[in-house]
Amino acid sequence: MNVATAQGNILEHDADIVIVNLFDGVTTPSGATGAVDRALDGQISNLIAAGDFEGKLNETLYLYANGGLSARRVLLVGLGKQEEFTLDRARQAAGKAARTARDLGAKRAASIVHGAGIGGLSPVDAACAAAEGTVLGLYRYERYKSDKDKKVLDSVTFVEADDEKFSAVSQGVSDGIAIGGAQNFVRDLATTPGSDLPPAALAEAASSMAQEFGLQCTILGPEEIAAENMNVILGVSRGSAQPCRFIVLDYTPDEATDQTIALVGKGITFDTGGLNLKPGDSMRHMECDMAGGASVIGAMRLVGHFRPNVRVIGLVPASENMPGGNAFKPGDVLRAANGKTIEIDNTDAEGRLVLADALCYAQRYNPSAIIDIATLTGAVIVALGQHAGGLMTNHAGLAARVKDAGEVTGERVWELPLWPEYEEQVKSPVADVKNTGGRAAGSITGAALLKLFVDDKPWVHLDVAGVDYTDLDRPYIPKGSSGFGARLLFQVVRDWEDGLD
Ligand code: BES
Ligand code: MN
Ligand code: ZN
């Protein structure tokens, strides 16, 4: 599928279907939608007057052009109320329109950019959002299907007549293709069945991505992980026949900078729960338990593409959590790379374990900020559902940056408190900390353990167990693995300036 730009008049553009838009409450369309309306002898105005099309967000309706323009069909997409319009709504409308055009059997669509004029977005931002929504909305995972879906949209071309706006639109569309492509790469990784993406394969994927996008990549195997004293990762992987990996991605900009951001993602390629075996239903999508790690790899791909002026390190501890004969056991005590000991109360709380060693490893870069991202707890699904990731932090300034990035990208996060009182719940009678904290505040006690391994550096923990996989079918997030996090993390990097206050 090809997303492109063209300069010219959309009325004359050679395509199967032309996509234009309408805000809720507008009675006489203006701009390109107005031009199409006139070319169709006022059919769009008639539909509005009759109440057949209101412009509600993501509402669609198609009509035949009957020779009024080069394309045979016109697809209208609603943008909702003008004063409620956002970048995310631009993404949604583009995703919805592209999918509808595909369902209609169109091969080549031409579209205007949504919301750059009266929507109040800059042309570059609006075009970027439109391209993202298109690339993300059309995503399908067909690797294991013999009969691929026959309905394929070959191209979506964003057409802009204005000379000055055209270069901004081209830039935005090209950025949006890169950003959407990175998120789809994350989706592919997270969707791949557990047996086809063990730790070594995840590391291989990271390493070939690094080659392609100009990043340094180092992969540590079990011996090297042992040499780094990352015994907790080794402990988690002991029950598995698949050797663990520790993935290090390094982007150092050409220009000197004293700013380093460390991104750390949970890379459990399959989580059975270990000896504390999960029941069948709960295990069903545990191939996605490396979604946090995949989103770090996806964010690093964007870092490689856009090459910002800040050093960025991506770390992914990759392991299976299996109940093999050599598996670690409840009651075991593991010693992390910084010397702290962890009592294993439940082998199913393995994400915080592999992250603990990875957070220790991050310290060698003297990071200005650390952000970890993980499908850590079922409790965060109970708290926030599928519409926001949980955020926990030791630094309000860094948290504010991540929240802002969440608003821009539509990958929203919501803060849960991390008061010292919660640390009581993870005190252990035999070790420095214990890996569970009981039913109460299950997401927060996970973060309370991680906090012991960040050395008081500015740190944000993102619990994405509720948002990484979705059974909702949203305009640009089809059912399945969402790829949440790559855009969010990259946005933080992109907006990074001279450090935190
Ligand atoms: N990978 C799971 C969390 C999860 C649950 C992700 C549902 C996606 C959907 C994690 O490793 C886990 O098992 N957490 C336990 C922790 C508990 C034992 C303290 C949980 O949430 O039940
Ligand atoms: Mn688990
Ligand atoms: Zn897990």
Side-chain angles (χ1 to χ4, degrees):
M1 210 276 305
N2 183 33
V3 176
T5 46
Q7 190 173 2
N9 183 346
I10 198 160
L11 300 179
E12 291 155 17
H13 196 86
D14 181 27
D16 299 329
I17 195 162
V18 157
I19 299 167
V20 289
N21 63 43
L22 194 77
F23 279 106
D24 191 347
V26 169
T27 48
T28 316
S30 60
T33 308
V36 170
D37 187 34
R38 287 188 292 280
L40 301 184
D41 297 327
Q43 276 196 76
I44 298 178
S45 303
N46 287 341
L47 286 165
I48 301 168
D52 292 340
F53 191 80
E54 296 176 86
K56 295 245 175 299
L57 180 62
N58 302 329
E59 179 184 0
T60 56
L61 189 134
Y62 72 96
L63 48 158
Y64 293 93
N66 284 333
L69 31 119
S70 300
R72 195 158 153 246
R73 289 189 285 199
V74 171
L75 177 64
L76 282 169
V77 61
L79 302 183
K81 294 222 159 56
Q82 192 185 326
E83 62 274 17
E84 292 170 7
F85 195 66
T86 58
L87 216 43
D88 200 60
R89 290 188 166 199
R91 257 177 230 117
Q92 291 182 36
K96 176 73 187 194
R99 291 173 73 179
T100 307
R102 181 174 69 184
D103 289 346
L104 288 168
K107 293 282 169 210
R108 294 169 311 140
S111 179
I112 60 170
V113 168
H114 312 295
I118 56 172
L121 304 177
S122 75
V124 61
D125 288 347
C128 182
E132 284 175 21
T134 304
V135 171
L136 291 168
L138 293 172
Y139 177 79
R140 277 196 292 232
Y141 186 81
E142 297 190 307
R143 181 171 158 189
Y144 297 90
K145 285 212 177 264
S146 309
D147 298 319
K148 317 274 188 224
D149 202 316
K150 295 205 175 45
K151 286 189 171 161
V152 177
L153 194 55
D154 293 330
S155 66
V156 178
T157 305
F158 290 97
V159 182
E160 173 59 56
D162 186 278
D163 231 1
E164 249 165 71
K165 271 199 198 163
F166 179 70
S167 70
V169 165
S170 299
Q171 183 62 54
V173 166
S174 130
D175 291 354
I177 293 169
I179 295 170
Q183 184 164 344
N184 283 345
F185 169 65
V186 175
R187 290 170 171 179
D188 280 345
L189 290 175
T191 310
T192 304
S195 293
D196 288 354
L197 198 84
L202 182 63
E204 203 42 58
S207 143
S208 49
M209 180 284 289
Q211 271 247 294
E212 191 182 342
F213 286 85
L215 305 167
Q216 298 267 29
C217 178
T218 310
I219 307 294
L220 313 188
E223 289 80 34
E224 290 128 321
I225 291 173
E228 292 288 346
N229 290 316
M230 296 196 281
N231 303 307
V232 185
I233 297 175
L234 294 176
V236 170
S237 81
R238 259 177 28 207
S240 167
Q242 295 289 341
C244 55
R245 293 287 186 271
F246 190 83
I247 303 166
V248 183
L249 294 163
D250 183 344
Y251 165 77
T252 304
D254 294 336
E255 244 176 281
T257 169
D258 63 352
Q259 295 297 307
T260 301
I261 303 175
L263 306 176
V264 183
K266 170 175 173 181
I268 297 295
T269 60
F270 197 82
D271 181 12
T272 64
L275 290 175
N276 292 102
L277 198 66
K278 287 180 185 292
D281 282 353
S282 311
M283 206 190 292
R284 180 56 189 89
H285 283 296
M286 285 302 134
E287 74 278 7
C288 297
D289 212 22
M290 35 57 75
S295 72
V296 165
I297 297 168
M300 292 306 292
R301 172 170 147 152
L302 289 173
V303 168
H305 178 91
F306 287 96
R307 310 199 85 74
N309 190 33
V310 50
R311 188 173 185 201
V312 191
I313 305 294
L315 303 174
V316 182
S319 172
E320 283 190 334
N321 186 23
M322 299 287 284
N326 199 30
F328 74 135
K329 304 169 185 72
D332 285 357
V333 175
L334 300 177
R335 187 181 293 275
N338 66 354
K340 287 191 177 146
T341 54
I342 310 175
E343 177 195 0
I344 307 307
D345 179 56
N346 188 318
T347 61
D348 199 8
E350 84 297 339
R352 63 200 73 184
L353 296 176
V354 297
L355 288 175
D357 270 342
L359 291 168
C360 296
Y361 192 95
Q363 300 304 326
R364 75 191 56 200
Y365 300 99
N366 188 28
S368 327
I370 306 173
I371 305 173
D372 80 70
I373 180 163
T375 49
L376 209 74
T377 65
V380 84
I381 312 176
V382 177
L384 298 171
Q386 306 195 359
H387 299 288
L391 179 153
M392 286 140 271
T393 188
N394 62 0
H395 193 287
L398 179 61
R401 299 225 183 163
V402 179
K403 291 174 196 171
D404 288 349
E407 293 304 320
V408 173
T409 56
E411 295 191 322
R412 291 179 296 183
V413 292
W414 198 258
E415 185 167 357
L416 303 174
L418 189 50
W419 297 310
E421 285 83 348
Y422 292 106
E423 289 165 27
E424 295 301 318
Q425 287 175 241
V426 291
K427 291 238 155 97
S428 160
V430 297
D432 298 332
V433 65
K434 136 180 113 153
N435 81 329
T436 59
R439 268 179 63 79
S443 303
I444 298 174
T445 51
L449 181 145
L450 297 176
K451 187 166 178 262
L452 297 177
F453 296 87
V454 297
D455 252 8
D456 292 327
K457 296 272 175 2
W459 159 74
V460 155
H461 160 60
L462 299 173
D463 192 336
V464 295
V467 288
D468 80 299
Y469 184 90
T470 175
D471 44 35
L472 307 173
D473 194 29
R474 286 171 283 189
Y476 70 90
I477 312 175
K479 183 172 150 44
S481 179
S482 68
F484 184 102
R487 286 189 299 118
L488 174 67
L489 295 172
F490 177 64
Q491 191 67 38
V492 175
V493 169
R494 207 178 195 186
D495 293 343
W496 201 261
E497 270 159 24
D498 307 320
L500 296 163
D501 305 323

